[in-house]
Amino acid sequence: MRKIDKILGLGFLVTLLALSCRKVDLPISINQIPSELAISSLSGIKLETPFVTSQVSMNVKSEVAQIVTIKIFDISNRVVSKSTSDVKAGDTVLKVYTNALPSSAYRIGLYDDKGNQLGITDFNKI
């Protein structure tokens, strides 16, 4: 193996390690449901805005109280953030923090404890 290949491989591993150790902020629950976050269907998710800087409010609507998984996917459809949250039956507004994400397009999905998708939407980190 050439020396340059070893250096490039080591650089790739260091970069991969640095990216995998970054801090991803978890969502926190808030109580009031703003009208711009209202969901008319029985379940799903809705973001306050599709253009996000450091945080965004998200309404999670569920038919039953349960623990849900929130996954954020990058444009390659890789999971870059994953967290769980307790939601009540009806509307639950969560804050999703995106400080650790680089500027790009993302998809955020909501899943029940069996892995069934309850909702999905896109946003742009600016």
Side-chain angles (χ1 to χ4, degrees):
M1 199 176 213
R2 296 182 330 202
K3 186 174 185 176
I4 190 72
D5 292 334
K6 289 181 183 179
I7 292 171
L8 289 174
L10 182 60
F12 174 75
L13 289 175
V14 169
T15 303
L16 185 63
L17 178 64
L19 289 175
S20 66
C21 293
R22 68 179 182 222
K23 180 181 182 277
V24 176
D25 296 315
L26 300 176
I28 60 169
S29 178
I30 61 176
N31 292 329
Q32 297 181 10
I33 310 297
S35 60
E36 64 269 9
L37 289 175
I39 299 173
S40 58
S41 61
L42 294 175
S43 66
I45 60 175
K46 185 173 182 184
L47 294 177
E48 177 181 36
T49 175
F51 302 102
V52 179
T53 53
S54 60
Q55 68 182 24
V56 66
S57 293
M58 176 178 69
N59 185 12
V60 174
K61 191 168 186 180
S62 176
E63 294 183 60
V64 296
Q66 62 183 319
I67 296 174
V68 296
T69 301
I70 300 161
K71 295 179 185 178
I72 299 177
F73 302 89
D74 65 9
I75 58 175
S76 302
N77 207 33
R78 290 179 303 194
V79 175
V80 295
S81 174
K82 180 179 174 182
S83 62
T84 58
S85 187
D86 287 315
V87 297
K88 60 185 180 185
D91 295 293
T92 304
V93 176
L94 304 171
K95 286 272 191 187
V96 178
Y97 294 93
T98 59
N99 289 327
L101 299 175
S103 295
S104 186
Y106 294 93
R107 177 163 282 166
I108 188 166
L110 179 70
Y111 301 88
D112 67 12
D113 61 348
K114 294 176 179 64
N116 299 317
Q117 182 178 294
L118 303 175
I120 196 156
T121 191
D122 297 325
F123 70 94
N124 294 297
K125 169 71 185 324
I126 52 176

